[in-house]
Each structure stands twice: as C-alpha cells, then as structure tokens.
Amino acid sequence: MSERKKVYFAGSIRGGRADADLYREMIEYIKETADVLTEHVGKKDVFELEKDVTDFDIYEQDTAWIRACDFLIAECTCPSLGVGYELAYAEHQKKSCHILYRANEVSLSAMLAGDSYFKIHPYEDRGEVFPILEKILAEEQS
C-alpha cells in the first residue's frame, strides 16, 4: 500500500469567507484519499483559531506546509492575495498546482490563467467540483 499524498488546500481567508462551506466540503472529499495539511481553511472559526498566531508564524507554517506537500489545490473564485502568493511559492518549489474557480462568476487573474505551469479547472456549480477533484486525486496518486 502506498503512502497517502499530502495536499495543501488553498482558499481565501482574509480575502473573504463566502466559500468557506465549499472549502470544507472539498477538504472532506480530499481527505478520503489524501492528507490535507490545511484543514483550517474550511473551518468557520478560522479567525478564532488564528487569533493568537502572528502573521510571521502563519507565513512560516504555510510555506513549510507547501514545501512538505505533494501537490496544491486552490479554489480561486474569491480573489485572495494570500492564495496568489501560495500558488507562486508552490510553483517556485516545483509543486504540482491545480486551480479551480467558478468561470460563470469571475474571470481568473491573467497572472494565473496565463501561466502554463498551473492546471486550471473551471467549473459552473458545486456538482462539478467533486468529479474534478476525483480526476486530480487520481492523476496525482499515479
């Protein structure tokens, strides 16, 4: 039996929490076959969890998790400077990066859409997310 892959899940925290429930559902789905290093991204009380943590500590922990992960999955419908930075850092670390976003609601940043390194997965509604995740997880497990 092979070792479970480690996934860095990226989603907006300070940029907006409108998709927090979706993040939680995505994380739970990913956890069925892989370990998610950033489960807190899907928690409603993330601000409470991080209230005593400095920005420096968050930076150090998140960059360590990116270095430790096997690949990154980012939900980018809600624009986030942090998620953009995480994607660039992961690319620099040569980690496989998958970006999901609702194409019917937003245009993906040209800096992401124009970078051929990223694997972009547009979708229209929640029902399309889990088959996309299934494909990503199967690809990354091989």
Side-chain angles (χ1 to χ4, degrees), residues 6 8 23 31 45 55 57 77 94-95 103 126 140:
K6 294 182 196 81
Y8 187 101
Y23 301 160
K31 283 173 46 181
D45 62 347
D55 290 348
D57 290 336
T77 301
K94 300 189 178 1
K95 302 294 180 173
R126 267 180 148 86
E140 294 291 346

Side-chain angles (χ1 to χ4, degrees), residues 33-118:
T33 56
D35 295 329
V36 178
L37 302 175
T38 52
E39 285 187 55
H40 65 283
V41 174
K43 296 190 184 289
K44 288 255 191 222
D45 62 347
V46 68
F47 293 113
E48 183 63 25
L49 294 171
E50 292 185 344
K51 72 178 169 90
D52 296 324
V53 182
T54 68
D55 290 348
F56 176 78
D57 290 336
I58 291 170
Y59 169 82
E60 287 291 310
Q61 180 62 76
D62 288 1
T63 54
W65 278 331
I66 292 170
R67 290 189 302 275
C69 79
D70 294 300
F71 59 99
L72 182 147
I73 296 174
E75 207 301 329
C76 291
T77 301
C78 181
S80 166
L81 293 171
V83 173
Y85 185 91
E86 291 163 332
L87 284 160
Y89 191 87
E91 179 182 14
H92 181 73
Q93 295 293 313
K94 300 189 178 1
K95 302 294 180 173
S96 180
C97 296
H98 298 269
I99 297 171
L100 288 82
Y101 75 103
R102 286 188 302 282
N104 57 331
E105 293 182 28
V106 299
S107 294
L108 191 63
S109 166
M111 291 301 291
L112 300 178
D115 186 340
S116 63
Y117 185 83
F118 299 125

Side-chain angles (χ1 to χ4, degrees), residues 3-5 28-35 137-138 141:
E3 188 176 317
R4 286 168 60 96
K5 298 287 185 169
E28 290 303 314
Y29 187 87
I30 295 164
K31 283 173 46 181
E32 292 176 15
T33 56
D35 295 329
L137 293 166
Q141 298 291 345

